[in-house]
PDB file of all heavy atoms in Angstrom:
ATOM      1  N   ALA A 225     -21.636  39.718  17.340  1.00  0.00           N
ATOM      2  CA  ALA A 225     -21.647  39.778  18.778  1.00  0.00           C
ATOM      3  C   ALA A 225     -22.058  41.176  19.218  1.00  0.00           C
ATOM      4  O   ALA A 225     -22.797  41.339  20.202  1.00  0.00           O
ATOM      5  CB  ALA A 225     -20.249  39.432  19.322  1.00  0.00           C
ATOM      6  N   LEU A 226     -21.551  42.202  18.563  1.00  0.00           N
ATOM      7  CA  LEU A 226     -21.915  43.597  18.938  1.00  0.00           C
ATOM      8  C   LEU A 226     -23.464  43.813  18.776  1.00  0.00           C
ATOM      9  O   LEU A 226     -24.087  44.398  19.649  1.00  0.00           O
ATOM     10  CB  LEU A 226     -21.132  44.581  18.063  1.00  0.00           C
ATOM     11  CG  LEU A 226     -21.425  46.089  18.293  1.00  0.00           C
ATOM     12  CD1 LEU A 226     -21.102  46.437  19.738  1.00  0.00           C
ATOM     13  CD2 LEU A 226     -20.625  46.952  17.309  1.00  0.00           C
ATOM     14  N   GLN A 227     -24.006  43.315  17.634  1.00  0.00           N
ATOM     15  CA  GLN A 227     -25.429  43.475  17.406  1.00  0.00           C
ATOM     16  C   GLN A 227     -26.196  42.722  18.448  1.00  0.00           C
ATOM     17  O   GLN A 227     -27.233  43.155  18.946  1.00  0.00           O
ATOM     18  CB  GLN A 227     -25.763  42.969  15.965  1.00  0.00           C
ATOM     19  CG  GLN A 227     -27.199  43.214  15.594  1.00  0.00           C
ATOM     20  CD  GLN A 227     -27.615  44.695  15.606  1.00  0.00           C
ATOM     21  OE1 GLN A 227     -26.797  45.550  15.184  1.00  0.00           O
ATOM     22  NE2 GLN A 227     -28.774  45.023  16.118  1.00  0.00           N
ATOM     23  N   THR A 228     -25.739  41.508  18.830  1.00  0.00           N
ATOM     24  CA  THR A 228     -26.418  40.712  19.842  1.00  0.00           C
ATOM     25  C   THR A 228     -26.417  41.463  21.199  1.00  0.00           C
ATOM     26  O   THR A 228     -27.437  41.466  21.905  1.00  0.00           O
ATOM     27  CB  THR A 228     -25.741  39.360  19.985  1.00  0.00           C
ATOM     28  OG1 THR A 228     -25.734  38.656  18.708  1.00  0.00           O
ATOM     29  CG2 THR A 228     -26.444  38.494  21.030  1.00  0.00           C
ATOM     30  N   GLU A 229     -25.287  42.046  21.546  1.00  0.00           N
ATOM     31  CA  GLU A 229     -25.231  42.805  22.774  1.00  0.00           C
ATOM     32  C   GLU A 229     -26.210  43.978  22.778  1.00  0.00           C
ATOM     33  O   GLU A 229     -26.858  44.248  23.800  1.00  0.00           O
ATOM     34  CB  GLU A 229     -23.822  43.313  23.047  1.00  0.00           C
ATOM     35  CG  GLU A 229     -22.769  42.220  23.307  1.00  0.00           C
ATOM     36  CD  GLU A 229     -22.993  41.560  24.649  1.00  0.00           C
ATOM     37  OE1 GLU A 229     -23.671  42.173  25.503  1.00  0.00           O
ATOM     38  OE2 GLU A 229     -22.532  40.439  24.900  1.00  0.00           O
ATOM     39  N   ARG A 230     -26.333  44.648  21.648  1.00  0.00           N
ATOM     40  CA  ARG A 230     -27.280  45.769  21.554  1.00  0.00           C
ATOM     41  C   ARG A 230     -28.696  45.287  21.714  1.00  0.00           C
ATOM     42  O   ARG A 230     -29.475  45.857  22.501  1.00  0.00           O
ATOM     43  CB  ARG A 230     -27.117  46.481  20.198  1.00  0.00           C
ATOM     44  CG  ARG A 230     -25.819  47.283  20.084  1.00  0.00           C
ATOM     45  CD  ARG A 230     -25.645  47.771  18.655  1.00  0.00           C
ATOM     46  NE  ARG A 230     -24.440  48.582  18.492  1.00  0.00           N
ATOM     47  CZ  ARG A 230     -23.957  48.988  17.347  1.00  0.00           C
ATOM     48  NH1 ARG A 230     -24.596  48.616  16.183  1.00  0.00           N
ATOM     49  NH2 ARG A 230     -22.872  49.723  17.295  1.00  0.00           N
ATOM     50  N   ASP A 231     -29.029  44.175  21.018  1.00  0.00           N
ATOM     51  CA  ASP A 231     -30.405  43.646  21.155  1.00  0.00           C
ATOM     52  C   ASP A 231     -30.696  43.190  22.588  1.00  0.00           C
ATOM     53  O   ASP A 231     -31.770  43.431  23.092  1.00  0.00           O
ATOM     54  CB  ASP A 231     -30.533  42.474  20.225  1.00  0.00           C
ATOM     55  CG  ASP A 231     -30.487  42.873  18.736  1.00  0.00           C
ATOM     56  OD1 ASP A 231     -30.655  44.087  18.453  1.00  0.00           O
ATOM     57  OD2 ASP A 231     -30.254  41.974  17.867  1.00  0.00           O
ATOM     58  N   GLN A 232     -29.662  42.573  23.170  1.00  0.00           N
ATOM     59  CA  GLN A 232     -29.878  42.100  24.547  1.00  0.00           C
ATOM     60  C   GLN A 232     -30.091  43.301  25.554  1.00  0.00           C
ATOM     61  O   GLN A 232     -30.903  43.188  26.475  1.00  0.00           O
ATOM     62  CB  GLN A 232     -28.681  41.213  24.978  1.00  0.00           C
ATOM     63  CG  GLN A 232     -28.925  40.362  26.216  1.00  0.00           C
ATOM     64  CD  GLN A 232     -27.864  39.337  26.438  1.00  0.00           C
ATOM     65  OE1 GLN A 232     -26.791  39.470  25.884  1.00  0.00           O
ATOM     66  NE2 GLN A 232     -28.169  38.304  27.174  1.00  0.00           N
ATOM     67  N   ARG A 233     -29.331  44.369  25.307  1.00  0.00           N
ATOM     68  CA  ARG A 233     -29.506  45.514  26.172  1.00  0.00           C
ATOM     69  C   ARG A 233     -30.912  46.105  26.031  1.00  0.00           C
ATOM     70  O   ARG A 233     -31.528  46.437  27.035  1.00  0.00           O
ATOM     71  CB  ARG A 233     -28.454  46.591  25.802  1.00  0.00           C
ATOM     72  CG  ARG A 233     -28.457  47.794  26.736  1.00  0.00           C
ATOM     73  CD  ARG A 233     -27.659  48.929  26.142  1.00  0.00           C
ATOM     74  NE  ARG A 233     -28.278  49.471  24.955  1.00  0.00           N
ATOM     75  CZ  ARG A 233     -27.724  50.412  24.212  1.00  0.00           C
ATOM     76  NH1 ARG A 233     -26.551  50.900  24.509  1.00  0.00           N
ATOM     77  NH2 ARG A 233     -28.397  50.851  23.112  1.00  0.00           N
ATOM     78  N   ILE A 234     -31.466  46.154  24.771  1.00  0.00           N
ATOM     79  CA  ILE A 234     -32.827  46.648  24.597  1.00  0.00           C
ATOM     80  C   ILE A 234     -33.844  45.743  25.344  1.00  0.00           C
ATOM     81  O   ILE A 234     -34.766  46.220  26.003  1.00  0.00           O
ATOM     82  CB  ILE A 234     -33.127  46.709  23.108  1.00  0.00           C
ATOM     83  CG1 ILE A 234     -32.237  47.813  22.434  1.00  0.00           C
ATOM     84  CG2 ILE A 234     -34.622  47.042  22.878  1.00  0.00           C
ATOM     85  CD1 ILE A 234     -32.375  47.832  20.913  1.00  0.00           C
ATOM     86  N   ARG A 235     -33.629  44.438  25.200  1.00  0.00           N
ATOM     87  CA  ARG A 235     -34.540  43.525  25.922  1.00  0.00           C
ATOM     88  C   ARG A 235     -34.502  43.640  27.404  1.00  0.00           C
ATOM     89  O   ARG A 235     -35.509  43.615  28.114  1.00  0.00           O
ATOM     90  CB  ARG A 235     -34.216  42.070  25.535  1.00  0.00           C
ATOM     91  CG  ARG A 235     -34.736  41.663  24.154  1.00  0.00           C
ATOM     92  CD  ARG A 235     -34.686  40.140  23.983  1.00  0.00           C
ATOM     93  NE  ARG A 235     -33.342  39.656  24.128  1.00  0.00           N
ATOM     94  CZ  ARG A 235     -32.486  39.466  23.087  1.00  0.00           C
ATOM     95  NH1 ARG A 235     -32.882  39.851  21.879  1.00  0.00           N
ATOM     96  NH2 ARG A 235     -31.276  39.002  23.248  1.00  0.00           N
ATOM     97  N   LEU A 236     -33.257  43.875  27.928  1.00  0.00           N
ATOM     98  CA  LEU A 236     -33.115  44.065  29.387  1.00  0.00           C
ATOM     99  C   LEU A 236     -33.804  45.369  29.841  1.00  0.00           C
ATOM    100  O   LEU A 236     -34.432  45.398  30.914  1.00  0.00           O
ATOM    101  CB  LEU A 236     -31.656  44.096  29.764  1.00  0.00           C
ATOM    102  CG  LEU A 236     -30.908  42.738  29.717  1.00  0.00           C
ATOM    103  CD1 LEU A 236     -29.442  42.940  29.943  1.00  0.00           C
ATOM    104  CD2 LEU A 236     -31.466  41.784  30.766  1.00  0.00           C
ATOM    105  N   GLU A 237     -33.701  46.396  29.005  1.00  0.00           N
ATOM    106  CA  GLU A 237     -34.335  47.655  29.368  1.00  0.00           C
ATOM    107  C   GLU A 237     -35.852  47.483  29.412  1.00  0.00           C
ATOM    108  O   GLU A 237     -36.542  47.939  30.332  1.00  0.00           O
ATOM    109  CB  GLU A 237     -33.969  48.755  28.392  1.00  0.00           C
ATOM    110  CG  GLU A 237     -32.535  49.213  28.548  1.00  0.00           C
ATOM    111  CD  GLU A 237     -32.138  50.203  27.462  1.00  0.00           C
ATOM    112  OE1 GLU A 237     -32.984  50.435  26.527  1.00  0.00           O
ATOM    113  OE2 GLU A 237     -31.035  50.759  27.545  1.00  0.00           O
ATOM    114  N   GLU A 238     -36.412  46.734  28.435  1.00  0.00           N
ATOM    115  CA  GLU A 238     -37.881  46.487  28.417  1.00  0.00           C
ATOM    116  C   GLU A 238     -38.263  45.619  29.593  1.00  0.00           C
ATOM    117  O   GLU A 238     -39.328  45.843  30.207  1.00  0.00           O
ATOM    118  CB  GLU A 238     -38.233  45.794  27.085  1.00  0.00           C
ATOM    119  CG  GLU A 238     -38.038  46.618  25.868  1.00  0.00           C
ATOM    120  CD  GLU A 238     -38.272  45.851  24.604  1.00  0.00           C
ATOM    121  OE1 GLU A 238     -38.406  44.612  24.677  1.00  0.00           O
ATOM    122  OE2 GLU A 238     -38.333  46.480  23.487  1.00  0.00           O
ATOM    123  N   THR A 239     -37.448  44.648  29.934  1.00  0.00           N
ATOM    124  CA  THR A 239     -37.750  43.746  31.089  1.00  0.00           C
ATOM    125  C   THR A 239     -37.740  44.549  32.363  1.00  0.00           C
ATOM    126  O   THR A 239     -38.634  44.395  33.222  1.00  0.00           O
ATOM    127  CB  THR A 239     -36.705  42.664  31.126  1.00  0.00           C
ATOM    128  OG1 THR A 239     -36.736  41.900  29.937  1.00  0.00           O
ATOM    129  CG2 THR A 239     -37.016  41.690  32.291  1.00  0.00           C
ATOM    130  N   LEU A 240     -36.773  45.435  32.535  1.00  0.00           N
ATOM    131  CA  LEU A 240     -36.752  46.251  33.764  1.00  0.00           C
ATOM    132  C   LEU A 240     -37.994  47.131  33.838  1.00  0.00           C
ATOM    133  O   LEU A 240     -38.500  47.329  34.961  1.00  0.00           O
ATOM    134  CB  LEU A 240     -35.435  47.094  33.774  1.00  0.00           C
ATOM    135  CG  LEU A 240     -34.151  46.368  34.063  1.00  0.00           C
ATOM    136  CD1 LEU A 240     -33.004  47.321  33.898  1.00  0.00           C
ATOM    137  CD2 LEU A 240     -34.173  45.849  35.503  1.00  0.00           C
ATOM    138  N   GLU A 241     -38.381  47.693  32.730  1.00  0.00           N
ATOM    139  CA  GLU A 241     -39.612  48.548  32.736  1.00  0.00           C
ATOM    140  C   GLU A 241     -40.805  47.754  33.151  1.00  0.00           C
ATOM    141  O   GLU A 241     -41.614  48.148  33.978  1.00  0.00           O
ATOM    142  CB  GLU A 241     -39.761  49.169  31.373  1.00  0.00           C
ATOM    143  CG  GLU A 241     -40.967  50.088  31.313  1.00  0.00           C
ATOM    144  CD  GLU A 241     -41.174  50.726  29.911  1.00  0.00           C
ATOM    145  OE1 GLU A 241     -40.317  50.455  29.031  1.00  0.00           O
ATOM    146  OE2 GLU A 241     -42.128  51.446  29.714  1.00  0.00           O
ATOM    147  N   GLN A 242     -40.971  46.503  32.593  1.00  0.00           N
ATOM    148  CA  GLN A 242     -42.080  45.661  32.944  1.00  0.00           C
ATOM    149  C   GLN A 242     -42.052  45.235  34.409  1.00  0.00           C
ATOM    150  O   GLN A 242     -43.037  45.194  35.111  1.00  0.00           O
ATOM    151  CB  GLN A 242     -42.100  44.422  32.039  1.00  0.00           C
ATOM    152  CG  GLN A 242     -42.402  44.832  30.592  1.00  0.00           C
ATOM    153  CD  GLN A 242     -42.163  43.643  29.660  1.00  0.00           C
ATOM    154  OE1 GLN A 242     -41.551  42.658  30.039  1.00  0.00           O
ATOM    155  NE2 GLN A 242     -42.711  43.726  28.429  1.00  0.00           N
ATOM    156  N   LEU A 243     -40.776  44.911  34.894  1.00  0.00           N
ATOM    157  CA  LEU A 243     -40.658  44.540  36.330  1.00  0.00           C
ATOM    158  C   LEU A 243     -41.014  45.707  37.253  1.00  0.00           C
ATOM    159  O   LEU A 243     -41.608  45.509  38.330  1.00  0.00           O
ATOM    160  CB  LEU A 243     -39.263  44.100  36.574  1.00  0.00           C
ATOM    161  CG  LEU A 243     -38.856  42.688  36.071  1.00  0.00           C
ATOM    162  CD1 LEU A 243     -37.365  42.449  36.243  1.00  0.00           C
ATOM    163  CD2 LEU A 243     -39.686  41.621  36.759  1.00  0.00           C
ATOM    164  N   ALA A 244     -40.649  46.921  36.853  1.00  0.00           N
ATOM    165  CA  ALA A 244     -41.006  48.075  37.655  1.00  0.00           C
ATOM    166  C   ALA A 244     -42.534  48.224  37.749  1.00  0.00           C
ATOM    167  O   ALA A 244     -43.084  48.531  38.830  1.00  0.00           O
ATOM    168  CB  ALA A 244     -40.353  49.339  37.087  1.00  0.00           C
ATOM    169  N   LYS A 245     -43.185  48.097  36.595  1.00  0.00           N
ATOM    170  CA  LYS A 245     -44.695  48.182  36.597  1.00  0.00           C
ATOM    171  C   LYS A 245     -45.266  47.066  37.448  1.00  0.00           C
ATOM    172  O   LYS A 245     -46.195  47.311  38.222  1.00  0.00           O
ATOM    173  CB  LYS A 245     -45.213  48.109  35.150  1.00  0.00           C
ATOM    174  CG  LYS A 245     -44.835  49.301  34.303  1.00  0.00           C
ATOM    175  CD  LYS A 245     -45.371  49.109  32.894  1.00  0.00           C
ATOM    176  CE  LYS A 245     -45.025  50.298  32.010  1.00  0.00           C
ATOM    177  NZ  LYS A 245     -45.510  50.158  30.605  1.00  0.00           N
ATOM    178  N   GLN A 246     -44.753  45.869  37.331  1.00  0.00           N
ATOM    179  CA  GLN A 246     -45.278  44.732  38.079  1.00  0.00           C
ATOM    180  C   GLN A 246     -45.050  44.954  39.589  1.00  0.00           C
ATOM    181  O   GLN A 246     -45.941  44.669  40.395  1.00  0.00           O
ATOM    182  CB  GLN A 246     -44.590  43.461  37.657  1.00  0.00           C
ATOM    183  CG  GLN A 246     -45.046  42.198  38.372  1.00  0.00           C
ATOM    184  CD  GLN A 246     -44.269  40.952  37.968  1.00  0.00           C
ATOM    185  OE1 GLN A 246     -43.660  41.003  36.910  1.00  0.00           O
ATOM    186  NE2 GLN A 246     -44.273  39.993  38.806  1.00  0.00           N
ATOM    187  N   HIS A 247     -43.868  45.496  39.947  1.00  0.00           N
ATOM    188  CA  HIS A 247     -43.592  45.770  41.339  1.00  0.00           C
ATOM    189  C   HIS A 247     -44.591  46.763  41.905  1.00  0.00           C
ATOM    190  O   HIS A 247     -45.047  46.645  43.017  1.00  0.00           O
ATOM    191  CB  HIS A 247     -42.178  46.271  41.450  1.00  0.00           C
ATOM    192  CG  HIS A 247     -41.763  46.621  42.869  1.00  0.00           C
ATOM    193  ND1 HIS A 247     -41.556  45.646  43.811  1.00  0.00           N
ATOM    194  CD2 HIS A 247     -41.548  47.774  43.458  1.00  0.00           C
ATOM    195  CE1 HIS A 247     -41.235  46.197  44.959  1.00  0.00           C
ATOM    196  NE2 HIS A 247     -41.189  47.555  44.778  1.00  0.00           N
TER     197      HIS A 247
END
Side-chain angles (χ1 to χ4, degrees):
L226 179 61
Q227 186 61 40
T228 302
E229 291 291 340
R230 289 173 178 169
D231 295 341
Q232 197 169 18
R233 187 191 66 184
I234 294 173
R235 283 195 299 270
L236 286 173
E237 289 175 353
E238 294 173 351
T239 301
L240 285 174
E241 182 180 356
Q242 292 169 345
L243 285 173
K245 293 179 180 179
Q246 180 184 340
H247 180 71

